[in-house]
Every structure is written in structure tokens, then in C-alpha cells.
Amino acid sequence: MAEIGGEWLVPLREEFKKPYYRDLYSFVKKEYESRVIYPPADEVFEALHLTPLSEVKVVILGQDPYHNVHQAHGLAFSVPEDQMTIPPSLVNIFKELHDDLGIRMPEHGCLVPWAKQGVLLLNTVLTVRAHQAASHRGKGWELFTDAILRAVNKEDRPIVYMLWGSPAQLKAQFLDNPLHLVLKAPHPSPLSAYRGFFGCRHFSKCNNFLSEHGVTPIDWSL
């Protein structure tokens, strides 16, 4: 499994010493040795590698990585650029982007350009067995990603959180920094997008908030 370095190492170092993380590491290591696990082992912490703590402007929370072949690459909702099929939830995200900001529908679903601008695309669980959704929930990842969110919550500058769906919204309990903006909406899944994700206008609200506080807004086009 990939290592964590750079700025994230400082706030997360103590997590590595805790019993839950030792158990999690042992479990995940065995899983990679004996099964097909996504994302590739060297991309488990890709969201942290692409978006250093000091550069985080926006946090978008996902749940599990995609569990089908050649989809997960360590960023919530994103798929590699050469993946021809854009997952349904991401299609709905792009639809909302178009309706909100007039951005044309992208031809691919790779969100790396967002991550490089400061959008932390964090799943709450960072690994999954092939074709077995939720197979690594409850193994310790949730505690680790809570620690990531607590680290972001301590940052003394404007940051926006987009919490889509009930599991993501539960994380709001950690997010009490008065300098930050927490946005909530239903999940963009086809099962729930019509219950309020469409029309939530999170992307324009995010950019307006950043601009009002002197922060360069995100270019959401791909």
C-alpha cells in the first residue's frame, strides 16, 4: 500500500500508532495479497498526494471506491481519463454543473484537474474488493478518514465542504470551524439525485464563497 508523506504526515502520524490502524493495515495488506482490490495499491492515498493539506479549498466526500474493473483510482467519484464509461453518479454531477454554471458535459470522468486545484476528493472508505460494494466498510478506514477531516477542520482559512447523501452528512459533526462553509444535498446517485441534488447549486455557492473571501475559485471545467 502506498505511503503517506508530505504535509498530511504531520496531522496523521499519530493515527499510524493506534491499534485500529495497525489492524486495518494488516487487513488491507492481506486483501491485496489474496484478492483483487481496488484502487491499485499505489493509488490508495491518491487524493492526499494530489491535494496537499495547505492547498485544500474544497472537500467532496464519497463513500466506497468504484468496484468494477479500471474505474477506481483513488479519487472520489473520478475514473481514469481513458475509461470510456462515466459512472451514473458522476454523470449527474456533470448535469448539475451544466445547469448551475453552464459548463459543458465533459467527454471523460477524470477529476484530477479538480484535485490539483485544491478539491480534496475523499472517499470515507479507501479500498474495496472487486465487484463487492461496501466490502471494506467497518474495517477502520472510517476512523482514518475522520482524522483527515479533523485535520482539514483545523485549517485557519476558508474551506467548502460538499456533503452529498446521509453518510457524508454524518461527518458534519466534525466540521465546526466558523471560517468554513458546509453544504448538504442528497447523493447524486440516480436513486436520489432528483430529491434535491439537482438544483442544489453547490458549485456556484462554493465559488461565490471562495471569491468573497479572497480565494481563487475552482475552474470546474474538464
Side-chain angles (χ1 to χ4, degrees):
M1 193 162 64
E3 297 295 326
I4 293 177
E7 296 176 1
W8 288 107
L9 186 58
V10 175
L12 298 178
R13 185 181 287 121
E14 291 303 311
E15 299 302 306
F16 303 142
K17 303 175 183 177
K18 295 179 179 179
Y20 89 84
Y21 190 85
R22 291 196 293 268
D23 292 343
L24 171 64
Y25 185 90
S26 177
F27 168 76
V28 172
K29 184 173 184 290
K30 290 177 181 176
E31 287 283 281
Y32 273 103
E33 291 170 350
S34 60
R35 299 174 181 271
V36 177
I37 303 298
Y38 298 127
D42 61 353
E43 295 181 336
V44 171
F45 298 123
E46 191 72 0
L48 304 184
H49 294 156
L50 289 176
T51 312
L53 178 57
S54 66
E55 297 178 16
V56 174
K57 297 178 180 179
V58 183
V59 179
I60 295 179
L61 278 183
Q63 297 178 25
D64 298 78
Y66 296 123
H67 55 83
N68 289 327
V69 178
H70 196 54
Q71 287 189 320
H73 66 138
L75 303 177
F77 295 106
S78 181
V79 292
E81 190 167 350
D82 60 356
Q83 169 59 250
M84 301 309 296
T85 301
I86 300 177
S89 291
L90 186 52
V91 169
N92 286 341
I93 290 170
F94 290 159
K95 287 180 179 177
E96 176 60 21
L97 258 176
H98 177 267
D99 292 346
D100 188 10
L101 294 173
I103 292 173
R104 66 171 179 80
M105 293 289 287
E107 297 178 357
H108 63 83
C110 181
L111 305 182
V112 167
W114 295 4
K116 290 183 175 180
Q117 293 180 73
V119 182
L120 180 63
L121 296 163
L122 182 68
N123 281 315
T124 53
V125 175
L126 300 186
T127 55
V128 69
R129 289 179 185 172
H131 313 300
Q132 294 185 44
S135 49
H136 283 185
R137 288 185 191 175
K139 302 297 184 181
W141 278 129
E142 294 90 342
L143 296 173
F144 186 72
T145 52
D146 285 353
I148 294 172
L149 291 173
R150 287 191 176 97
V152 177
N153 185 62
K154 292 178 181 178
E155 291 294 290
D156 191 26
R157 63 181 192 280
I159 293 174
V160 180
Y161 303 86
M162 297 184 187
L163 306 182
W164 299 334
S166 298
Q169 291 171 23
L170 289 173
K171 305 300 183 182
Q173 62 184 305
F174 308 130
L175 309 177
D176 58 1
N177 190 322
L179 296 177
H180 298 177
L181 175 65
V182 177
L183 300 173
K184 300 178 182 180
H187 195 274
S189 157
L191 297 174
S192 55
Y194 287 94
R195 299 175 190 160
F197 177 78
F198 290 138
C200 70
R201 301 184 64 83
H202 278 189
F203 301 101
S204 59
K205 290 176 181 177
C206 168
N207 278 359
N208 289 340
F209 177 83
L210 294 176
S211 295
E212 288 167 3
H213 290 83
V215 179
T216 303
I218 305 298
D219 178 1
W220 297 104
S221 60
L222 294 171

